[in-house]
Amino acid sequence: MKLIIAIIQDKDSSKLSNALVEADIRATKLSTTGGFLRAGNTTFLIGVEEDKIETVLAIIKESSQKREQYMAPPINLDSPMEATHTYPIEVQVGGATVFVLPVDSFYHF
């Protein structure tokens, strides 16, 4: 048995959740925050048998889209006032960060 930890953007959360339910794969959703943009994320904890890992990874990949987003870089308050004008930059967000871990024991009561 394996534990899949998938961290995705909140925007993709419902799509992934629905796809997992449709494939009869149980998951636990956690609301998380982090990353470069400090944006809202959703972390899925999914326990599966080894023969279902590729199926779950394909569902995650299909449900978690990369997209471009503009953000304002942080302001350096130690700089002179003229240097604090920042312009938005385009960054790539989305997709998924996925960890697959071995599970020594699993209990469902």
Side-chain angles (χ1 to χ4, degrees):
M1 177 158 258
K2 299 289 185 178
L3 173 64
I4 298 175
I5 302 172
I7 305 163
I8 65 166
Q9 274 197 317
D10 281 344
K11 291 179 182 179
D12 298 323
S13 174
S14 293
K15 185 176 180 182
L16 178 55
S17 184
N18 292 337
L20 291 171
V21 168
E22 190 174 302
D24 197 29
I25 297 169
R26 294 181 183 186
T28 298
K29 284 174 47 171
L30 304 173
S31 218
T32 55
T33 303
F36 177 65
L37 301 176
R38 293 177 180 81
N41 295 318
T42 300
T43 300
F44 286 82
L45 303 176
I46 308 162
V48 295
E49 296 298 331
E50 291 198 35
D51 62 334
K52 289 192 174 187
I53 292 174
E54 293 304 319
T55 302
V56 173
L57 292 176
I59 292 170
I60 293 169
K61 186 174 182 177
E62 185 178 312
S63 301
S64 308
Q65 302 302 312
K66 289 185 179 181
R67 58 185 69 82
E68 301 295 323
Q69 178 176 318
Y70 285 94
M71 68 159 289
I75 296 173
N76 183 355
L77 297 176
D78 293 331
S79 302
M81 194 58 165
E82 307 82 47
T84 60
H85 296 294
T86 59
Y87 297 96
I89 57 172
E90 189 174 34
V91 295
Q92 188 176 47
V93 297
T97 301
V98 181
F99 301 91
V100 180
L101 307 168
V103 174
D104 293 332
S105 299
F106 173 77
Y107 304 97
H108 185 81
F109 300 112

